[in-house]
Amino acid sequence: MEFKKPLILDIKGNSLDDGPGIRTVIFFKGCPLSCVWCHNPECKGTGYELAWDRKECIGCNSCINVCEPAALARDNPDFVDRHKCTLCFKCVDVCPANAMTEVGRDMEIEEVIEIIRKDIPFFVTSGGGVTLSGGEPTLFMRFTADLLKKLKLLNIQTLIETCGQFDCAAFFELMYPYLDFIYYDIKLIDSEEHRKYCRVSNERILDNFRELCRASQRKGGVEILPRIALIPGITDRRHNLEAAASFLKENKIKKVALLQYNPLWVEKSKKLGIHSSYTEDAKMATWMPLSHLKECLAIFQDFEVVGSRY
Ligand code: SF4
Ligand code: SF4
């Protein structure tokens, strides 16, 4: 399903983690997957959301006083009753501590370009550019294609970070001609495990990856970098990493980026009132040790795929 216009979560400059050089990253709201460990849970849904940050809240109760449907209550451990909240955002307007925030912004392409334009000198000096991220930018192919075309007219290097769940023919027609890099997330090779942890099966994702690999190996093809987020007890298990390494080798891919697990998503989920057994799971609460990352990298070396820390 394609959505016509995205909400933008954020536009962040000075990123050194989302491609070559210094980059400006545009985060789109909405994703066709629903991974239990999603690192940007505020990007899962396509619509507006309300976030409450208990650490910032000073307990002034201004929000409670303006909330007409009485969705806010001190005796609710989440503070916000999401069944009652109508997303009017009056609480955001009166909050003096920035503890209540509206998540999502409706922006025109020209507004996005104006923000990016001021970062062009950094792109030029560092070999950087713009990264489309999320969420999933391909959910909004016509919007992102128009945005990419405009970036190319400004001679800006472009990169997409994608989960791979998209209509491949439309991607080749609309977006591919305006991309310089594709960072492609692979999670679980077993389809049933993928369905269990990411809500959808992975056939289309793996098929699209094969297509993009073939295209990248042709003259003028767009460089593709597979990435695997190492999630404790889920994607980092040996059988999954061996299957992933074998899959990459079959597709003549020689490089992979492994993303060392961090637990920052747990707090972000709680701000949005998202609770699951995974947000409470003790092994999800700590940073992944470097020694485990090295073990995971070694698995790929056995398949002659060079892994790098990301
Ligand atoms: S967004 Fe509106 S309805 Fe929701 S909690 Fe805030 S004031 Fe209440
Ligand atoms: S208005 Fe802001 S600071 Fe005051 S109680 Fe509500 S969330 Fe907390």
Side-chain angles (χ1 to χ4, degrees):
M1 179 173 180
E2 189 194 328
F3 293 82
K4 287 200 168 51
K5 189 149 182 273
L7 291 179
I8 304 296
L9 175 78
D10 201 359
I11 301 178
K12 276 198 179 133
N14 296 320
S15 169
L16 297 173
D17 297 327
D18 294 279
I22 298 173
R23 308 198 71 81
T24 300
V25 186
I26 307 169
F27 294 90
F28 293 82
K29 248 178 105 15
C31 183
L33 272 54
S34 186
C35 305
V36 296
W37 65 83
C38 179
H39 268 75
N40 289 327
E42 64 277 48
C43 286
K44 274 186 172 179
T46 51
Y48 290 104
E49 289 173 82
L50 176 70
W52 174 63
D53 188 342
R54 92 176 52 232
K55 289 198 210 81
E56 297 298 323
C57 178
I58 55 171
C60 68
N61 289 349
S62 305
C63 53
I64 294 177
N65 296 334
V66 295
C67 180
E68 284 165 25
L72 303 172
R74 287 274 158 223
D75 58 1
N76 174 357
D78 290 333
F79 193 40
V80 184
D81 182 335
R82 307 228 169 228
H83 298 294
K84 286 187 183 169
C85 173
T86 57
L87 297 176
C88 70
F89 300 119
K90 287 181 184 164
C91 55
V92 174
D93 294 340
V94 298
C95 178
N98 217 19
M100 285 288 188
T101 47
E102 179 179 343
V103 182
R105 191 172 156 200
D106 182 11
M107 295 180 79
E108 300 303 324
I109 287 178
E110 285 311 322
E111 285 179 84
V112 176
I113 294 282
E114 274 318 300
I115 292 172
I116 288 166
R117 208 185 275 273
K118 66 182 186 335
D119 294 339
I120 291 175
F122 300 110
F123 304 155
V124 172
T125 51
S126 70
V130 168
T131 296
L132 309 187
S133 186
E136 176 53 40
T138 61
L139 264 190
F140 319 93
M141 270 209 218
R142 288 182 195 280
F143 181 95
T144 44
D146 285 350
L147 174 60
L148 287 169
K149 274 184 216 166
K150 292 199 164 112
L151 292 171
K152 279 289 145 206
L153 286 174
L154 294 168
N155 210 19
I156 292 174
Q157 183 205 84
T158 57
L159 184 155
I160 185 172
E161 294 175 341
T162 178
C163 71
Q165 179 75 359
F166 53 70
D167 174 340
C168 205
F171 181 80
F172 271 113
E173 183 194 336
L174 296 170
M175 295 182 69
Y176 196 81
Y178 309 103
L179 284 167
D180 296 304
F181 298 98
I182 299 170
Y183 282 14
Y184 200 101
D185 292 340
I186 289 175
K187 297 172 175 80
L188 291 149
I189 298 297
D190 180 85
S191 183
E192 278 313 306
E193 287 193 345
H194 199 280
R195 192 189 294 277
K196 176 178 170 190
Y197 291 108
C198 306
R199 204 189 55 181
V200 298
S201 64
N202 62 5
E203 282 81 8
R204 188 181 218 190
I205 294 167
L206 299 184
D207 282 349
N208 286 350
F209 184 77
R210 291 183 186 97
E211 281 287 325
L212 289 171
C213 288
R214 281 195 284 274
S216 79
Q217 286 147 17
R218 290 196 282 269
K219 192 166 179 277
V222 177
E223 189 176 328
I224 182 166
L225 176 71
R227 304 188 309 172
I228 301 174
L230 297 172
I231 310 301
I234 302 180
T235 64
D236 72 340
R237 289 170 297 167
R238 176 167 280 274
H239 76 271
N240 183 53
L241 295 180
E242 285 180 347
S246 171
F247 175 70
L248 296 183
K249 194 173 177 186
E250 269 166 41
N251 286 285
K252 302 190 180 77
I253 290 289
K254 295 192 165 49
K255 275 195 325 194
V256 65
L258 299 187
L259 283 66
Q260 191 175 2
Y261 177 78
N262 75 65
L264 300 176
W265 68 279
V266 175
E267 272 311 301
K268 287 203 260 178
S269 291
K270 288 180 180 172
K271 281 183 203 170
L272 297 168
I274 301 169
H275 296 280
S276 73
S277 54
Y278 298 99
T279 52
E280 307 305 329
D281 186 333
K283 67 177 175 298
M284 293 288 187
T286 52
W287 291 71
M288 180 172 279
L290 195 54
S291 56
H292 184 56
L293 174 69
K294 286 181 180 163
E295 287 163 12
C296 297
L297 289 168
I299 293 172
F300 286 86
Q301 274 159 17
D302 292 344
F303 287 79
E304 293 158 11
V305 177
V306 178
S308 63
R309 180 184 176 185
Y310 192 79

